[in-house]
Amino acid sequence: AQSVTQPDARVTVSEGASLQLRCKYSYSGTPYLFWYVQYPRQGLQLLLKYYSGDPVVQGVNGFEAEFIKSNSSFHLRKASVHWSDSAVYFCAVSAGGNTGKLIFGLGTTLQVQP
Amino acid sequence: EAAVTQSPRSKVAVTGGKVTLSCHQTNNHDYMYWYRQDTGHGLRLIHYSYVADSTEKGDIPDGYKASRPSQENFSLILELASLSQTAVYFCASSDNRGKDTQYFGPGTRLLVL
């Protein structure tokens, strides 16, 4: 069965530091992978997505992620975080088939300290 | 810009009462979804629809019904609300299954007392 694991429930970094949020997935076929961000009291917004091709995908606001098939990982990175990046980040994989549903990880809460 | 709106944004309901959550999208998308968000569980799919007048069960459909009267509108119905249905509910739409981005509404906070 498909699943997504985000091993870090909470990450705290200082403003200006680099960031990596980890995501590992379990999927038997070719995965469609997504990172979403949720700001307080808001819905989820897409940061980036991977379907095929270049394993490093660029997203909004300086975020990028790298698909590593051999490791079943899709970690999110940012070179220098800003306080406004504080939010909950969700990794998701498309379940495929006829539903189009997304399988979400439990999310990682990012707190950026000034 | 894709737009998905939900109403109400928050609601307090009594146990055993009927609750209807509404979702409206102006994206001209065929697919619509209802997810539930709970602490410790992330988001889980309740119902989805890929065409008007048809709905499908997701992973946790028990206690919920869905209605898709038009392409733009998708409702989630709790016929007999229970305490365990206290959660945040998100509606989403997408143009095509699997590959395409799902656009989420702002969510509805439901408290069942």
Side-chain angles (χ1 to χ4, degrees):
Chain A
Q2 301 96 338
S3 65
V4 175
T5 302
Q6 295 180 248
D8 304 308
R10 177 177 290 270
V11 170
T12 301
V13 297
S14 299
E15 192 167 24
S18 63
L19 171 71
Q20 176 172 280
L21 301 182
R22 296 184 291 166
C23 171
K24 297 203 73 172
Y25 66 90
S26 173
Y27 189 77
S28 57
T30 300
Y32 298 147
L33 295 160
F34 304 80
W35 273 100
Y36 282 85
V37 61
Q38 183 181 28
Y39 297 103
R41 303 251 170 192
Q42 295 186 27
L44 281 70
Q45 302 171 32
L46 182 74
L47 276 178
L48 49 81
K49 56 188 178 184
Y50 171 80
Y51 298 150
S52 64
D54 189 337
V56 179
V57 292
Q58 303 297 321
V60 299
N61 296 332
F63 286 95
E64 68 174 29
E66 183 174 7
F67 169 61
I68 302 179
K69 186 176 182 179
S70 60
N71 196 34
S72 298
S73 67
F74 190 57
H75 301 332
L76 182 70
R77 303 189 297 237
K78 187 171 184 178
S80 177
V81 298
H82 187 265
W83 64 266
S84 60
D85 293 325
S86 296
V88 182
Y89 292 79
F90 291 96
C91 182
V93 62
S94 175
N98 294 322
T99 70
K101 74 176 183 181
L102 294 175
I103 307 296
F104 286 90
L106 297 185
T108 297
T109 299
L110 173 65
Q111 183 175 359
V112 180
Q113 294 182 331
Chain B
E1 181 71 25
V4 179
T5 57
Q6 295 181 233
S7 63
R9 291 294 311 276
S10 65
K11 183 173 180 65
V12 179
V14 295
T15 303
K18 183 177 181 179
V19 176
T20 299
L21 307 183
S22 299
C23 178
H24 179 79
Q25 55 107 350
T26 58
N27 306 323
N28 199 33
H29 287 166
D30 288 329
Y31 283 78
M32 295 188 74
Y33 306 86
W34 276 107
Y35 291 92
R36 164 180 176 153
Q37 184 179 36
D38 301 273
T39 303
H41 286 281
L43 279 79
R44 294 178 290 174
L45 182 67
I46 307 170
H47 286 286
Y48 67 99
S49 168
Y50 53 84
V51 67
D53 295 321
S54 178
T55 64
E56 306 292 333
K57 294 181 179 180
D59 295 326
I60 54 164
D62 292 345
Y64 302 94
K65 292 172 60 178
S67 173
R68 182 94 182 267
S70 64
Q71 186 192 44
E72 299 81 14
N73 295 293
F74 191 36
S75 297
L76 185 68
I77 302 148
L78 290 66
E79 295 279 3
L80 296 170
S82 67
L83 296 175
S84 64
Q85 292 177 312
T86 293
V88 181
Y89 292 86
F90 288 100
C91 177
S93 75
S94 71
D95 195 26
N96 194 1
R97 59 181 184 266
K99 293 179 64 174
D100 287 323
T101 301
Q102 290 189 18
Y103 293 89
F104 284 79
T108 295
R109 289 183 174 272
L110 176 64
L111 175 62
V112 182
L113 300 175

